[in-house]
Amino acid sequence: MSILVVGSVAFDDITSPSGSVKNILGGAATYFSLAASYFTQVRVVAVVGEDFGPEHETVFHKHGIDTRGIERANGKSFRWGGSYFDNLNEAKTDYTDLNVFERFQPRIPKEYQDTEFLFLANIQPTLQADVRRTMSGVRLTGCDTMNYWIKGTPKELAETLKLVNVLLINDTEAKMLAGETSLPRAARKVLTMGPQALVIKHGEYGATIFFGEGAYGVGSHPFRAPTLPIDEVKDPTGAGDSFAGGFMGYLASRKEVTRETLKRALFYGGVMGSFAVERFGTERLQGLSRDEIDARFQIFRELTHLT
Amino acid sequence: MSILVVGSVAFDDITSPSGSVKNILGGAATYFSLAASYFTQVRVVAVVGEDFGPEHETVFHKHGIDTRGIERANGKSFRWGGSYFDNLNEAKTDYTDLNVFERFQPRIPKEYQDTEFLFLANIQPTLQADVRRTMSGVRLTGCDTMNYWIKGTPKELAETLKLVNVLLINDTEAKMLAGETSLPRAARKVLTMGPQALVIKHGEYGATIFFGEGAYGVGSHPFRAPTLPIDEVKDPTGAGDSFAGGFMGYLASRKEVTRETLKRALFYGGVMGSFAVERFGTERLQGLSRDEIDARFQIFRELTHLT
């Protein structure tokens, strides 16, 4: 099974307590596709500028990622600079230069039309909805969003959410989207907006998946996956997108999407997020093996399972 | 097996988004002993004032809790007033009247001398150490502390920690105690200060137990237990003490303290904490059954375990 991600490919300048890097390959679609590539065939729709060279494309190709959907535009790629201080859960944005990303109009190559799994990374909600509508064969759509759209374009986002099967956001976003201070109440409310499952990411505390009533089999209990307590988080950038890549990639690799595969997907999401933060940028995600991934899955299991 | 808790018995005024109560029975030793009473025989050492009447003692006796160690002093009991706003993880203290608790000198009744499990609730560290030293038959000592002692009496606390097997504190306290911003690093450092196991409570995200090198069998992986996503947390007061009561009470009910019983104890801690917050004060803890507790343990398992 293949999966299509639509989102940003960018270059980042990042500073954290562990050091500083400049001009490294980043962007939601990059983290997502590298993480997902260990599970399934990945296709990318994004826009880059003239600064995106063959050496960058090679990063994708080494992982068998199909880059025919990466459009070249005149100008520079999306560039972001961010700093992390003691609280690694929150980045201070130093600058955001949208550049060619400002006029991003996702165009889905014909060869991508048969994709069955779709991930709408964090872009303007109307673009997300447009992509979903053009992809008639999609079986499962995952979606990310952020405070900026929740506050700025609530109506557009509401339309997008109706087209989405699984929404992946963090605690703050879930509470803001629902207008609730209690996370379980927020979750229940979001699940009436469209998605059949809601993944809430808790940063260093893992993630919880909440299921809509009757969705993916009976029972309404949520499910929680851990993260690995990591001594030195070098760079949290892309952790959420790597989580989404592991989560969606695993789902796309299974024959069926059931409650049980969604739970395992949540574990694989945590696993890929935990790898991502160990080094700056996508470095760790570029050099993994499936064995390493499964070994860490096993550690996650030992971390949470009673015998 | 029996367990002795040394700490406060108090009266609280509490306001939360769910309402407001006045003059209700509280205090760390109260929450702890009620939670632990579902697992084992509990003994209490505390001091109360003349406002502590037979109706309050009955609350303990109904649970078979031995109150011979509760000393009566002239004056009023410890009184605390606190308010919770949207962030239920943090109380705003409205007032603290130590009253008779200010001169608390724990006296261990002779009949308690054979107690094998000891919990030192959050009191001045030198008092904690004194209690531990007078209890020669103790097999396992659990201990709580808080920022006030970590900052104010670090030397005294360091001496106490040398006498402790399991320390139960929250994220902020662990980081402050170790002078570290990374939780896993903080945990490793605290584990060189005396305790063989460290339980870090993450509020609504559960708790993690870290093991000292070689302590309780081989392997160094930590273990994480969830909490229940609860729609309406009515009153978070005493959640940590109820957690400690479930954790220590379960341990005291087992023949041996092993890594596996410590993991299960972490689950039972979460279970008792999750009950405590469902109603104001100790109301929920007063009216439970062991069946309800085990049913929730099962829910915690389903919340975290893959099939």
Side-chain angles (χ1 to χ4, degrees), chain A:
Chain A
M1 221 71 80
S2 60
I3 188 163
L4 168 62
V5 55
V6 181
S8 60
V9 170
F11 292 99
D12 297 336
D13 293 337
I14 299 163
T15 299
S16 86
S18 306
S20 176
V21 290
K22 282 203 174 299
N23 201 33
I24 58 163
L25 185 63
T30 307
Y31 283 99
F32 180 96
S33 56
L34 285 170
S37 73
Y38 292 94
F39 301 92
T40 192
Q41 217 276 311
V42 185
R43 297 161 169 179
V44 188
V45 164
V47 63
V48 293
E50 294 148 298
D51 46 5
F52 185 87
E55 72 275 29
H56 303 117
E57 196 151 17
T58 299
V59 172
F60 293 86
H61 289 169
K62 273 192 179 162
H63 287 261
I65 299 164
D66 187 332
T67 57
R68 284 176 291 179
I70 300 185
E71 186 191 334
R72 317 303 168 110
N74 294 327
K76 278 188 172 181
S77 300
F78 183 10
R79 286 180 176 268
W80 178 80
S83 301
Y84 301 89
F85 300 94
D86 277 355
N87 176 7
L88 290 164
N89 291 316
E90 218 171 323
K92 185 191 149 283
T93 291
D94 298 321
Y95 65 87
T96 305
D97 294 339
L98 291 174
N99 299 324
V100 300
F101 196 65
E102 193 163 7
R103 299 179 183 205
F104 182 37
Q105 287 290 344
R107 270 190 285 264
I108 315 296
K110 262 192 204 144
E111 301 87 346
Y112 287 9
Q113 279 297 341
D114 62 347
T115 316
E116 295 192 20
F117 288 79
L118 172 65
F119 185 70
L120 305 164
N122 174 30
I123 57 172
Q124 206 276 335
T126 306
L127 297 182
Q128 292 179 316
D130 288 347
V131 169
R132 175 62 189 88
R133 287 197 190 96
T134 64
M135 302 285 296
S136 54
V138 161
R139 274 172 52 200
L140 185 136
T141 304
C143 182
D144 186 12
T145 190
M146 71 186 294
N147 293 352
Y148 184 80
W149 309 118
I150 295 171
K151 275 193 209 161
T153 58
K155 277 185 194 168
E156 292 83 346
L157 182 58
E159 288 307 308
T160 304
L161 291 180
K162 289 179 191 164
L163 308 171
V164 161
N165 302 103
V166 185
L167 179 67
L168 295 97
I169 50 182
N170 68 29
D171 288 53
T172 314
E173 291 157 356
K175 289 176 181 174
M176 186 182 287
L177 180 57
E180 287 279 357
T181 55
S182 142
L183 206 60
R185 271 210 304 265
R188 214 163 40 234
K189 196 159 165 191
V190 171
L191 286 167
T192 65
M193 298 178 180
Q196 287 92 58
L198 168 66
V199 172
I200 302 184
K201 295 169 286 177
H202 315 306
E204 64 175 313
Y205 301 116
T208 307
I209 185 165
F210 294 88
F211 300 98
E213 217 157 303
Y216 303 112
V218 287
S220 63
H221 287 316
F223 185 75
R224 187 162 279 186
T227 46
L228 195 66
I230 288 174
D231 268 27
E232 190 181 351
V233 170
K234 284 226 163 104
D235 173 15
T237 311
D241 301 310
S242 308
F243 182 101
F247 178 86
M248 293 289 298
Y250 176 77
L251 285 183
S253 76
R254 311 311 300 173
K255 250 191 272 177
E256 271 191 297
V257 176
T258 64
R259 188 170 289 238
E260 200 54 37
T261 53
L262 285 163
K263 289 180 185 179
R264 281 172 180 267
L266 202 70
F267 265 62
Y268 276 111
V271 164
M272 299 314 289
S274 78
F275 278 123
V277 303
E278 289 182 342
R279 307 231 184 109
F280 277 96
T282 60
E283 190 189 336
R284 191 76 177 101
L285 291 184
Q286 288 187 40
L288 284 169
S289 71
R290 185 60 197 255
D291 279 355
E292 279 180 285
I293 291 167
D294 288 330
R296 184 158 294 186
F297 183 92
Q298 202 47 41
I299 292 175
F300 270 55
R301 195 190 257 276
E302 284 164 25
L303 193 63
T304 49
H305 284 49
L306 299 167
T307 50

Side-chain angles (χ1 to χ4, degrees), chain B residues 141-209:
Chain B
T141 304
C143 182
D144 186 14
T145 191
M146 71 186 293
N147 293 352
Y148 183 79
W149 310 117
I150 295 170
K151 275 194 211 163
T153 59
K155 278 185 193 166
E156 291 84 345
L157 182 58
E159 288 306 309
T160 304
L161 291 180
K162 290 179 190 164
L163 308 171
V164 161
N165 303 102
V166 186
L167 180 68
L168 295 98
I169 51 183
N170 68 29
D171 288 52
T172 315
E173 291 157 354
K175 289 177 182 172
M176 186 181 286
L177 179 57
E180 285 280 356
T181 55
S182 142
L183 206 61
R185 270 209 303 264
R188 214 168 35 237
K189 195 157 165 193
V190 171
L191 286 167
T192 66
M193 299 178 181
Q196 286 92 57
L198 169 66
V199 173
I200 302 185
K201 295 169 287 177
H202 313 307
E204 64 175 313
Y205 300 116
T208 306
I209 184 164

Side-chain angles (χ1 to χ4, degrees), chain B residues 54-194:
Chain B
E55 73 274 29
H56 304 117
E57 196 152 16
T58 299
V59 171
F60 292 87
H61 288 169
K62 273 192 180 161
H63 287 261
I65 298 164
D66 188 331
T67 58
R68 285 177 291 180
I70 299 186
E71 186 192 334
R72 316 305 168 108
N74 293 327
K76 278 188 173 182
S77 300
F78 183 11
R79 285 179 175 269
W80 178 79
S83 301
Y84 300 90
F85 300 95
D86 277 355
N87 176 7
L88 290 163
N89 290 318
E90 218 172 323
K92 183 192 150 286
T93 292
D94 297 321
Y95 66 86
T96 305
D97 295 338
L98 291 175
N99 299 324
V100 300
F101 196 64
E102 192 163 6
R103 298 178 185 208
F104 181 37
Q105 287 290 346
R107 270 190 284 265
I108 316 297
K110 263 192 202 144
E111 302 88 344
Y112 287 10
Q113 278 296 342
D114 61 347
T115 316
E116 293 192 22
F117 288 79
L118 171 65
F119 185 69
L120 305 164
N122 174 31
I123 58 173
Q124 206 277 334
T126 306
L127 296 181
Q128 293 179 316
D130 288 348
V131 168
R132 176 61 190 87
R133 288 198 189 96
T134 64
M135 304 283 298
S136 53
V138 161
R139 274 172 52 199
L140 186 136
T141 304
C143 182
D144 186 14
T145 191
M146 71 186 293
N147 293 352
Y148 183 79
W149 310 117
I150 295 170
K151 275 194 211 163
T153 59
K155 278 185 193 166
E156 291 84 345
L157 182 58
E159 288 306 309
T160 304
L161 291 180
K162 290 179 190 164
L163 308 171
V164 161
N165 303 102
V166 186
L167 180 68
L168 295 98
I169 51 183
N170 68 29
D171 288 52
T172 315
E173 291 157 354
K175 289 177 182 172
M176 186 181 286
L177 179 57
E180 285 280 356
T181 55
S182 142
L183 206 61
R185 270 209 303 264
R188 214 168 35 237
K189 195 157 165 193
V190 171
L191 286 167
T192 66
M193 299 178 181

